Every structure is written in structure tokens, then in C-alpha cells.
Amino acid sequence: MERPIDLRRDTITLPTEAMKQFAFQAELGDSIYGEDPMQRKLEELGASILGKERAIFLPSGTMGNLVALLTHTRRGEEVILEESAHIFTSETGGVGAIAGLTVKPIRGEDGAPSPAAILQAIRPDNIHYPRTRLICLENTHYRYGGIVPPLEKFRAIRELATEKGLSIHLDGARLFNAAVYLGVEVQVIAQYADTVMVSLSKGLGAPVGSLLAGPRDFIKEAERYRKMLGGGMRQTGWLCACGIMALSPENIARLREDHENARFLAEGLCAIPGIKVDCTRVHTNFVLADLAESGWDARQFVERLKEKGVLATPAGESKVRFVTSKEVNRTQIALALERIHELMRAR
Ligand code: TLP
């Protein structure tokens, strides 16, 4: 059986041969004692690309976000975030269970809460209320289909946060996709946050890992939480070597191909009767297809599509999510479109 066309996630990406060769030649050391040369190099590179004083390598984006929450706050404080933020919806409740925070969720259809809504959500200084400490932003926004919230909004939120003495953490699991979409360096977006987490293991193709970047003192404290959570690894050099290659300018620029493929897919889907895609919201490598008109249940549709060798993810009753990555080329996307068309016709 031929390999399925995997449009479920960009976390399926595999390291390239060049990445593997580079990794195997890496000199290794005990990273907990700062003795792994590749980890040190990756952390320095990450900090400079993100425009922050320091960065640390962590095993996952979830741990990066959690370490940021723990470092920014004290138990019992409150964090403001967009109501479908990954930190709130998809990180196993660590924000409450481990960081001990309460959450003030705010809807923000373009991926970020409005400054006016944030202002309203900030708790007055009153003994009955938790203290508002932190705002978490997400870019690109996962649940809204990889959209990039307007940069102007980030700037306004930054101004408000500074005025109110709040910190901002940015979940930038796909921040490089956002930067490519906006045509800016990644630090142009990261500048509006005190701290930022970026994933190396998604579209950028490293097998494992994320970076958390921010001010020197903050990162010193974050290192302790990383250790507490079990994220202090030993000879990380192989992974970090992959991370270094993932951050090469060519590899970052390659994300454009994933975006173009997503657009090609979105336009193809729109031409199929019964499928709707809001192409104005296809910013990066995600496509959210709405099957409501066709009467298909998303779960059943995805199961039947799998039988045809195309993998996607149900994202609600009638919505299906497709994610492009370097593992799927244009020819395969064209083939996926044909198979989706067949399935729609069969109904
Ligand atoms: N998202 C995963 C799933 O958890 C849904 C995926 O398949 O894409 N922030 C955002 C915005 C994310 O999308 C993810 C991963 C994370 C954080 C967590 O990163 P990891 O998976 O490395 O813990």
C-alpha cells in the first residue's frame, strides 16, 4: 500500500538527511552542567534570532509554556488569554494543575483578545480577587486555523500591558510561520512579548524540542523550573544540532512552500461543491474546511478519506483541518484534492 498523504499535522515532519549527518557529528556533553556545546550554540542562536537576552532548550512546547507560566507568576494569580488558546485548551490543564493559576479567557476571533477586553478583564486591587499577572498570546493561532493576529493588535496589547504592569508570554509554537506570512523577522513579532516559546519540531522539521527566550534573569529562574519538571536532559547535542539546522535561514524561508501548498489546497477545496473554506483566513499552513452544506459528519468524512489514503483531522462536527508540511508535496496535494472530490461525489 502506498504511503498515505498525511495532512493531519506539521508535527509529523522528519529530520532531513543533512540534519541527521550534522547531528551525528555533534560533540556531546552534560547539558545540565552547561557542557553540551550544541545546546549552548542553539540557545545562543535562538536568543539572537528571537531578539531576547537568553534562550533555553526544552523537550516540548508544552513544557516551554508551562515553565514560562511558572516563572512569570505565583500560585493563585490570574492569566488572561484568548479562550481557545493552546495553553488553556490543549496542555492538559497544566496552567491550573501545576502552575496553580486561574484563567480569564477572552474571545478574539482574529486570534488575539482586543486590548479593550483585556482592560476590562484586569482585576481591580481587591482582596476578593486573584491578582492579574500575565497575558498569554498565541501566534499563529492553532484553533482558529493557523491565523496570524494583526501585529498592530500585539503592539496595542504591549502598550496596555506595560501601562498596567503586566507581563506578556507568547506561545509561538509556529511563530516562524507567522513571520514568513508577514514578511518580517521573527523578532519583530517577539518584541511585543517579554518571553516567547518557539517549537523546532513542527514545520521546521527538528525531531524534538522548543526554545523559551526572554530576559537574562527570567531565563535563569526558568532553568530551575525546567529542571523541576524533568526537562533537564543530558547529552542533548544530537537534538540541538537538528535544532540549529532547523533555524537556518533557508529552512525558515522554506515554510513559504507549506503556505503556498495550503493556499493551493484551500482554493482546490473551494472548487468542490459542498465544501467551504474561508480563504481570507488561510494565512499559513492550515486549512479549515467546512462540510456543513454537504451534510457530512467530519469524523466520518475523515475516516472515509483515510481509506482513500489521505489523512486529515476532524475539528468540530462539520469542520476538517488539513495541515501542510515538508512531508507532503504539491503533486500529493493535487492527488488529495482528487480523492476528496471523489468522496464528495460519492455522497
Ligand atoms: N500542538 C499540537 C497538539 O497539541 C494539538 C499539534 O498537533 O499541533 N502551542 C501550540 C499553538 C501548539 O499547536 C502546540 C502543539 C503546542 C503549543 C505544544 O507543543 P508540543 O507538542 O511540543 O508540546
Side-chain angles (χ1 to χ4, degrees), residues 15-36:
T16 58
E17 275 314 307
M19 225 180 226
K20 286 190 220 168
Q21 290 307 324
F22 185 58
F24 280 135
Q25 284 163 23
E27 194 190 324
L28 304 179
D30 190 342
S31 66
I32 291 184
Y33 293 89
E35 292 169 10
D36 189 280

Side-chain angles (χ1 to χ4, degrees), residues 9 11 60-62 65 86 91 138 142 171 173-174 202:
R9 301 183 300 273
T11 54
S60 70
T62 301
N65 283 333
H86 197 275
E91 297 183 11
E138 185 173 315
Y142 180 79
D171 174 354
R174 296 181 181 79
K202 300 192 167 68

Side-chain angles (χ1 to χ4, degrees), residues 55-344:
I56 49 171
F57 178 68
L58 299 108
S60 70
T62 301
M63 194 187 283
N65 283 333
L66 185 55
V67 164
L69 293 172
L70 284 163
T71 313
H72 273 294
T73 64
R74 288 197 303 189
R75 296 182 74 77
E77 292 182 335
E78 190 156 85
V79 51
I80 295 175
L81 41 67
E82 203 288 319
E83 69 173 15
S84 56
H86 197 275
I87 287 179
F88 188 38
T89 62
S90 309
E91 297 183 11
T92 333
V95 55
I98 301 177
L101 303 173
T102 60
V103 168
K104 188 82 184 173
I106 301 176
R107 196 168 180 77
E109 291 288 350
D110 59 7
S114 72
I118 292 176
L119 183 59
Q120 274 227 312
I122 297 172
R123 303 281 192 170
D125 186 10
N126 179 316
I127 199 171
H128 298 86
Y129 301 139
R131 199 174 271 136
T132 305
R133 175 68 66 201
L134 180 69
I135 300 168
C136 286
L137 300 175
E138 185 173 315
N139 201 356
T140 66
H141 194 290
Y142 180 79
R143 298 246 160 232
Y144 288 142
I147 59 170
V148 180
L151 208 48
E152 185 49 34
K153 204 168 179 184
F154 269 35
R155 199 186 54 71
I157 294 172
R158 171 75 271 170
E159 264 179 25
L160 176 65
T162 304
E163 190 191 316
K164 298 290 174 189
L166 304 177
S167 299
I168 300 181
H169 171 66
L170 174 57
D171 174 354
R174 296 181 181 79
L175 194 63
F176 290 94
N177 294 83
V180 166
Y181 170 74
L182 292 171
V184 298
E185 295 296 325
V186 83
Q187 53 182 274
V188 171
I189 313 173
Q191 68 175 321
Y192 297 120
D194 299 278
T195 60
V196 53
M197 184 284 289
V198 293
S199 293
L200 304 167
S201 60
K202 300 192 167 68
L204 294 179
V208 168
S210 72
L211 290 169
L212 174 64
R216 196 172 301 283
D217 291 350
F218 179 95
I219 293 296
K220 191 157 183 267
E221 197 57 18
E223 272 183 306
R224 298 181 73 88
Y225 284 113
R226 175 181 65 180
K227 186 74 179 74
M228 187 189 282
L229 296 178
M233 297 173 282
R234 298 291 177 181
Q235 284 73 23
T236 49
W238 288 349
L239 298 175
C240 292
C242 292
I244 289 169
M245 288 207 70
L247 291 180
S248 73
E250 310 79 60
N251 196 53
I252 294 169
R254 195 212 59 79
L255 293 172
R256 180 172 301 285
E257 281 173 30
D258 298 346
H259 299 182
E260 285 165 2
N261 282 339
R263 183 145 290 275
F264 175 73
L265 176 64
E267 284 165 6
L269 288 171
C270 279
I272 300 175
I275 302 188
K276 277 199 170 142
V277 177
D278 183 350
C279 283
T280 63
R281 287 172 80 87
V282 180
H283 292 176
T284 58
N285 61 330
F286 283 44
V287 179
L288 278 182
D290 191 344
L291 310 182
E293 250 178 31
S294 71
W296 267 105
D297 168 78
R299 219 162 267 283
Q300 278 170 5
F301 179 85
V302 164
E303 265 167 40
R304 291 287 304 281
L305 196 58
K306 187 177 175 186
E307 289 163 17
K308 288 182 170 290
V310 179
L311 307 182
T313 312
E317 261 170 50
S318 66
K319 287 217 169 109
V320 175
R321 178 171 45 244
F322 298 91
V323 182
T324 58
S325 72
K326 76 179 183 63
E327 303 304 330
V328 183
N329 62 31
R330 181 63 70 101
T331 313
Q332 290 169 305
I333 291 183
L335 199 58
L337 278 167
E338 271 176 37
R339 305 219 173 130
I340 293 165
H341 208 161
E342 275 168 27
L343 195 54
M344 294 299 285

